[in-house]
Amino acid sequence: MSAEPPLIRVENLSVGHGGSVLLGNITFEVRRGEILAVIGRSGCGKSTLLRHLAGLAEPPRGQILIGGADLAAAQGRARRQLLRRVGLAFQGGALFGSMSLLENILLPIEELTDIPAGAARLIARMKLRLVGLAGRGNLLPSALSGGMRKRAAIARAMALDPDLLLLDEPSAGLDPVASAGLAALVLRLSRSLGLAFVIVTHDLAGLETLADRCLMLGDARDPVLALGPPAALRSHPDPRVREFFSPRPPAP
């Protein structure tokens, strides 16, 4: 493991919303270039964890340290600077349907930086090229396939050059070919640019190819069931973890 400090470290974090706590005492870290898959049963708090990491919701307890700085304690400009190190792509893409792909990617650049218009457009085109959508900037999201919309969402999440990308169910609704292509894109961005990823997923088939490690969330009693390489989780000593990877059909 690299001696470089982690990009993000989560310490004794509670996951919840509206004053309620789903899970507590979650601790993990993500380093530059690492791909961490967050897995677990539906409703266990995976997407809620992602929202906390993105600064969209305040966790009930615990710390989220970005580059060693506590996100919850940061205010004003310092908080905005921390959040610029994190990009988020929502499950459905959340692209603005009345705006072209180029305009979607330009939006955070124009709203959050002082980059001149010409340079901003050049940056937006570069992001589209990085995700394999060069020359499609004038298209509306409705003109794209599901896989292309997911790629465009990743391009927008990269608009401000974050160190860490958070992806919520990127393969949901995609056919196997598009899903494999998206996984290959994530691997390429991670290896070539040193981007770190935290990916919430239910797609277990390609985990060993995509993820360096998996964080498996459990329940209030056992919030973290396992943390380690995908292959290790498939033979984990906890039967709940093994069952998740090789579920048995219900008895007749």
Side-chain angles (χ1 to χ4, degrees):
M1 184 67 73
S2 170
E4 183 180 356
L7 284 176
I8 188 166
R9 177 166 175 80
V10 173
E11 294 186 348
N12 300 317
L13 190 74
S14 293
V15 170
H17 47 79
S20 64
V21 175
L22 292 173
L23 302 172
N25 297 319
I26 298 172
T27 296
F28 65 92
E29 60 187 35
V30 183
R31 295 180 178 272
R32 185 174 301 278
E34 184 179 18
I35 301 174
L36 177 72
V38 181
I39 60 175
R41 297 186 182 278
S42 297
C44 71
K46 300 185 298 296
S47 294
T48 304
L49 171 61
L50 220 60
R51 289 178 59 83
H52 292 326
L53 298 182
L56 297 178
E58 292 297 327
R61 286 187 296 276
Q63 288 185 309
I64 298 171
L65 303 172
I66 301 175
D70 186 358
L71 180 60
Q75 301 292 326
R77 185 174 183 274
R79 181 179 174 87
R80 291 192 294 272
Q81 288 297 111
L82 283 180
L83 291 176
R84 280 187 59 167
R85 300 187 66 179
V86 181
L88 171 64
F90 294 95
Q91 180 175 334
L95 299 170
F96 292 100
S98 61
M99 300 170 67
S100 70
L101 294 191
L102 191 68
E103 290 168 336
N104 266 280
I105 298 166
L106 275 171
L107 186 61
I109 302 174
E110 293 173 339
E111 291 292 322
L112 299 173
T113 76
D114 296 321
I115 295 174
R121 294 181 73 84
L122 178 61
I123 291 170
R125 291 193 183 98
M126 289 174 59
K127 302 305 180 185
L128 285 173
R129 187 176 300 115
L130 280 172
V131 300
L133 293 176
R136 300 177 187 270
N138 292 329
L139 296 178
L140 293 175
S142 59
L144 302 178
S145 67
M148 289 180 177
R149 285 195 293 272
K150 299 288 180 97
R151 288 171 177 264
I154 292 175
R156 187 176 63 183
M158 295 170 57
L160 300 178
D161 293 325
D163 300 308
L164 172 68
L165 287 182
L166 310 174
L167 309 184
D168 192 6
E169 294 283 3
S171 61
L174 300 184
D175 62 59
V177 173
S179 180
L182 198 65
L185 170 64
V186 169
L187 279 169
R188 178 166 58 81
L189 293 174
S190 174
R191 303 313 183 229
S192 64
L193 301 180
L195 285 172
F197 285 84
V198 175
I199 304 176
V200 167
T201 183
H202 282 103
D203 183 8
L204 303 182
L207 272 185
E208 289 178 37
T209 301
L210 176 64
D212 297 300
R213 292 187 302 149
C214 293
L215 171 70
M216 183 172 177
L217 300 181
D219 53 27
R221 186 181 63 182
D222 294 310
V224 175
L225 293 181
L227 176 61
L233 266 62
R234 292 184 185 276
S235 56
H236 197 274
D238 190 325
R240 294 170 296 179
V241 178
R242 297 197 305 273
E243 171 73 13
F244 185 78
F245 280 91
S246 302
R248 299 179 218 169

